[in-house]
Amino acid sequence: MKKHLMAYPYALWMLIFTMIPLALILFYSVFAIDDAGIHFTLDNFKRVFEPLYLAVFWRSIKLAAESTIICLVLGYPMAMILAGKNLSKKSILVVLFVIPMWMNFLARTYAWMTLLEKNGLIATIAGFFGIDLPSLLYTEGAVVLGMVYNFLPFMVLPIYSVLVKIDKTVVEAAEDLGANPITVFRRVIFPLSIPGVSSGITMVFMPALTTFVISRLLGGAHFTLIGNLIEQQFLTTMDWGFGSALSIVLMLMIMLSMGVTMRYEKENEGGGLW
Amino acid sequence: MHEEIIRLVNVSKSFDDQQVLQNINLSISRNEFVTLLGPSGCGKTTTLRIIGGFEVADTGDVIFEGKKINNLPPYKRNLNTVFQRYALFTHMNVYENIAFGLKIKKINKTDIERKVKEVLKLVNLSGYENRDIDSLSGGQQQRIAIARALVNEPQVLLLDEPLGALDLKLRKDMQLELKRIQQSLGITFIYVTHDQEEALTMSDTIVVMKDGKIQQVGTPQDIYNEPVNAFVADFIGESNIIDGVMVRDYYVEFAGRGFECVDKGFETNEKVDVVIRPEDIKLVPVEEGMLEGVVESVIFKGVHYEMIIYGNGIRWMVHSTMMEPANTRVGMKITPYDIHIMKKVTKE
């Protein structure tokens, strides 16, 4: 019974800060409040499916997917290198890798602005060699770069934690049965690391899909993502109803994508995010 | 008859400045069941891993069918390994595990199916093709590991303490089964264990190792009856090891008196180790004994009693089917044939 009591503060916390806001958002999205009082409406959801906003959804999904794929392509080999090193070197590498994550997210992103802008470091160095770069800032590439830079550790660490747990003798057994290094990777190491890959994908795709800071700082006004759109509804246009509807749709999309990746995670083999 | 298949020539190996193998020379014949036996840390597993290609010797050569294979990676060697903790692929079912090696060799599907079926029958697990690895018991997993190696029809099978994780009854059954498989397929088994009884049960040849060196190579009978030194004697079965002096050929002094023996060729008055198996000491009435002592303790061991008898300043371990109660005064008799004289191992 005591265990039950211990859970109440958390349940209360969840109720106040998660369940009630969620209920409010649901409420705002389907009820309009005007002079006539409160009445049910699906207008907000109809608006979400206007081409203008569908384009924003599509762009968000595309950029998030691109970032996730790049993170996977960069992160997997990185995780393998980390997992392959012997212990003493490994811990140094892991620390080097994690340190940037301790710095403020905004500071890191602003740093990229100064690197990428028209008279920034990269343009200056390129100019030094006689190359005239167009402004790198406020491009789609800059947004993807920002996402990859910020979310890469979320891909590397789950894959790394799965890779280090793979029994070395299983790899030796595969070699023993005639598998060359490529076959060992394809048939043994990669299949065994799928739980890590799928949690890595979830951990990168979700924040990339919902970010509004990276797209605003590195994309300027050109690359409105869902996150920016929602922020606008609540802080600028004050259209809470539409903002809530957008949030609900976004939430459903995330739940759907999690459902897909979860299918690849067998029970007990979950990537163990950290 | 004894065609050589593997030879190790002066193989040495160190890990982090610690020498684990020193000048190992060993010849293994086709169809032989060879056991590398020794306490943990004696280098037996390292020897096996060098043969398997998982470690590379610092110096010396590994010869397989007359060819040097020192730096050949494991996947190019025509031998297979059964690992200590099975090392099965948990993301595949039984069929996929066993078929793994065959698929790599691009053997056609019907042949693979037939071979998997045959090998499952060989390890008494017919019909287990679609089972998940996690759903199998330890003994079954071990059989799958053996099947996965055997299905490739290797000329040599390496086994690294494959029965270590099983309970006693299962281990005994599997020992006999492994021996049966080895004899019916006629392939060379190189088997690593620290269990002397297991080695005696299964092997054609036992290689006793200690501190990275081979102590003795011989048949189970040779090793048990004629151990070359006190270490081997002690490791293979229990022994009384007593300091003695070889007065002249066929005559040794220990425990304060002289004994006839069958050994010769020592220097006059050379200090030696005298090894006597506990079952070779016969208990007799005091007046008939060559030695006498008092029974200190008795332990029932199933087939026999193990008694510790204190006499002539020495604690003797005696195995006998007849029990003498504690504090009884008894005589002990040892025939010359049961007294084994060994050169003292120089301490390093």
Side-chain angles (χ1 to χ4, degrees):
Chain A
M1 280 315 281
K2 270 195 173 154
K3 273 188 186 162
H4 255 99
L5 286 174
M6 297 284 281
Y8 284 140
Y10 300 102
L12 195 66
W13 177 276
M14 291 274 286
L15 188 71
I16 295 173
F17 294 103
T18 309
M19 300 314 290
I20 293 175
L22 213 58
L24 282 175
I25 284 184
L26 196 65
F27 173 82
Y28 280 122
S29 71
V30 290
F31 287 102
I33 307 165
D34 51 27
D35 301 338
I38 301 171
H39 60 90
F40 181 82
T41 173
L42 285 174
D43 285 351
N44 288 323
F45 284 98
K46 279 183 198 147
R47 257 184 88 193
V48 171
F49 293 98
E50 281 170 23
L52 179 68
Y53 301 117
L54 281 181
V56 173
F57 269 97
W58 169 241
R59 184 188 298 136
S60 299
I61 292 169
K62 195 183 79 160
L63 291 188
E66 279 174 15
S67 312
T68 308
I69 290 166
I70 295 171
C71 279
L72 182 61
V73 169
L74 290 177
Y76 202 103
M78 214 180 260
M80 284 192 79
I81 292 166
L82 283 177
K85 289 287 168 214
N86 62 45
L87 215 70
S88 57
K89 282 184 198 155
K90 182 155 60 188
S91 47
I92 296 171
L93 267 174
V94 173
V95 167
L96 280 177
F97 194 76
V98 171
I99 282 178
M101 293 177 66
W102 296 346
M103 275 182 264
N104 184 282
F105 170 79
L106 280 176
R108 277 181 281 156
T109 309
Y110 274 111
W112 273 111
M113 288 178 74
T114 64
L115 287 173
L116 294 173
E117 67 190 359
K118 195 151 180 37
N119 299 313
L121 192 64
I122 294 172
T124 311
I125 291 171
F128 198 71
F129 292 101
I131 305 161
D132 191 21
L133 281 180
S135 175
L136 298 168
L137 196 58
Y138 308 136
T139 59
E140 200 175 289
V143 177
V144 172
L145 174 76
M147 289 181 182
V148 170
Y149 178 75
N150 279 305
F151 303 139
L152 186 59
F154 299 109
M155 181 65 81
V156 174
L157 292 175
I159 297 176
Y160 162 79
S161 72
V162 170
L163 285 179
V164 290
K165 273 189 260 167
I166 293 178
D167 188 356
K168 294 275 176 298
T169 61
V170 172
V171 174
E172 289 184 349
E175 290 176 15
D176 185 75
L177 294 165
N180 61 29
I182 294 165
T183 314
V184 171
F185 178 77
R186 212 165 43 83
R187 299 279 314 275
V188 178
I189 296 175
F190 187 72
L192 286 173
S193 70
I194 282 177
V197 172
S198 86
S199 51
I201 288 174
T202 314
M203 299 268 297
V204 172
F205 187 74
M206 285 207 290
L209 189 64
T210 55
T211 183
F212 60 92
V213 176
I214 295 174
S215 50
R216 195 170 62 204
L217 295 182
L218 299 175
H222 311 284
F223 295 98
T224 304
L225 301 184
I226 315 172
N228 305 87
L229 201 57
I230 294 171
E231 187 205 12
Q232 267 171 28
Q233 304 314 313
F234 282 97
L235 300 181
T236 317
T237 64
M238 293 302 183
D239 188 348
W240 286 23
F242 184 48
S244 299
L246 285 169
S247 303
I248 299 262
V249 172
L250 181 61
M251 214 165 72
L252 289 175
M253 278 171 52
I254 288 172
M255 279 159 72
L256 203 74
S257 70
M258 273 179 73
V260 172
T261 48
M262 290 249 271
R263 289 189 54 182
Y264 293 100
E265 290 182 56
K266 287 187 197 160
E267 24 179 337
N268 304 328
E269 284 180 42
L273 293 180
W274 302 102
Chain B
M1 179 69 200
H2 290 295
E3 189 197 345
E4 181 179 88
I5 184 157
I6 290 176
R7 174 185 285 274
L8 300 181
V9 186
N10 291 325
V11 168
S12 296
K13 175 81 185 168
S14 301
F15 290 121
D16 302 327
D17 301 329
Q18 196 185 340
Q19 184 137 40
V20 289
L21 291 180
Q22 296 180 41
N23 276 321
I24 299 291
N25 285 288
L26 185 63
S27 167
I28 293 165
S29 305
R30 212 174 273 282
N31 304 347
E32 198 179 6
F33 195 126
V34 180
T35 299
L36 306 179
L37 175 68
S40 55
C42 73
K44 55 192 192 295
T45 294
T46 307
T47 308
L48 195 78
R49 289 174 63 81
I50 286 173
I51 297 172
F54 302 110
E55 306 283 353
V56 175
D58 297 338
T59 57
D61 292 325
V62 183
I63 316 273
F64 186 81
E65 295 189 310
K67 286 191 214 76
K68 254 193 218 180
I69 57 165
N70 295 8
N71 292 308
L72 206 64
Y75 59 90
K76 289 186 179 162
R77 298 191 179 197
N78 192 7
L79 36 79
N80 287 111
T81 309
V82 177
F83 293 86
Q84 194 165 6
R85 264 181 287 273
Y86 324 142
L88 293 170
F89 306 126
T90 49
H91 59 296
M92 301 178 189
N93 65 21
V94 167
Y95 177 87
E96 290 164 328
N97 263 278
I98 298 175
F100 188 89
L102 299 174
K103 280 183 185 161
I104 285 167
K105 287 185 196 140
K106 305 251 189 295
I107 288 170
N108 74 55
K109 205 165 179 275
T110 47
D111 281 347
I112 292 182
E113 278 172 11
R114 180 178 50 80
K115 282 173 189 241
V116 170
K117 224 184 170 102
E118 279 171 14
V119 80
L120 276 173
K121 197 173 167 215
L122 186 74
V123 296
N124 289 331
L125 284 176
S126 290
Y128 276 67
E129 281 91 340
N130 294 319
R131 291 281 290 269
D132 277 337
I133 297 303
D134 294 335
S135 74
L136 302 178
S137 70
Q140 289 169 336
Q141 291 194 20
Q142 188 53 277
R143 282 160 205 250
I144 297 302
I146 291 164
R148 184 180 66 175
L150 284 176
V151 78
N152 301 289
E153 294 162 21
Q155 300 186 44
V156 178
L157 187 69
L158 309 178
L159 302 104
D160 183 8
E161 307 216 21
L163 309 183
L166 306 181
D167 64 62
L168 186 66
K169 176 82 174 64
L170 198 54
R171 201 156 71 218
K172 300 237 171 195
D173 292 345
M174 285 296 291
Q175 287 171 7
L176 298 176
E177 200 157 334
L178 277 174
K179 185 73 191 164
R180 172 182 69 79
I181 289 169
Q182 190 259 339
Q183 282 168 343
S184 68
L185 297 182
I187 52 181
T188 309
F189 273 37
I190 304 177
Y191 192 99
V192 161
T193 184
H194 61 264
D195 182 336
Q196 46 97 8
E197 202 186 312
E198 194 165 287
L200 293 172
T201 309
M202 296 197 284
S203 319
D204 298 321
T205 305
I206 296 177
V207 179
V208 184
M209 296 180 69
K210 184 200 174 201
D211 298 338
K213 285 189 228 156
I214 292 178
Q215 303 291 317
Q216 188 172 4
V217 180
T219 65
Q221 289 85 349
D222 288 346
I223 302 262
Y224 190 84
N225 294 331
E226 300 297 330
V228 293
N229 59 35
F231 170 77
V232 176
D234 197 35
F235 197 76
I236 308 285
E238 304 196 76
S239 294
N240 294 289
I241 298 171
I242 308 135
D243 290 329
V245 174
M246 198 70 186
V247 178
R248 55 174 189 271
D249 283 355
Y250 309 116
Y251 193 80
V252 63
E253 269 183 23
F254 59 91
R257 60 157 288 179
F259 292 84
E260 300 288 329
C261 66
V262 293
D263 294 271
K264 59 168 177 143
F266 292 87
E267 284 167 39
T268 309
N269 290 330
E270 184 176 340
K271 284 194 163 54
V272 292
D273 282 324
V274 177
V275 173
I276 302 165
R277 296 284 182 196
E279 67 272 23
D280 290 336
I281 299 176
K282 303 278 175 291
L283 295 185
V284 293
V286 177
E287 56 278 9
E288 289 172 32
M290 301 158 116
L291 296 160
E292 61 174 88
V294 179
V295 179
E296 283 194 342
S297 67
V298 184
I299 301 166
F300 178 58
K301 288 278 196 178
V303 179
H304 61 259
Y305 293 92
E306 180 173 297
M307 284 162 277
I308 302 296
I309 297 170
Y310 184 76
N312 294 50
I314 290 166
R315 286 200 162 72
W316 307 87
M317 183 192 282
V318 179
H319 289 172
S320 170
T321 51
M322 303 298 287
M323 193 263 275
E324 295 289 342
N327 298 322
T328 323
R329 218 170 170 76
V330 294
M332 292 177 280
K333 206 169 165 180
I334 309 156
T335 62
Y337 187 80
D338 290 328
I339 297 172
H340 306 285
I341 313 290
M342 282 155 212
K343 277 199 186 298
K344 285 254 179 211
V345 181
T346 44
K347 296 267 181 328
E348 285 167 42

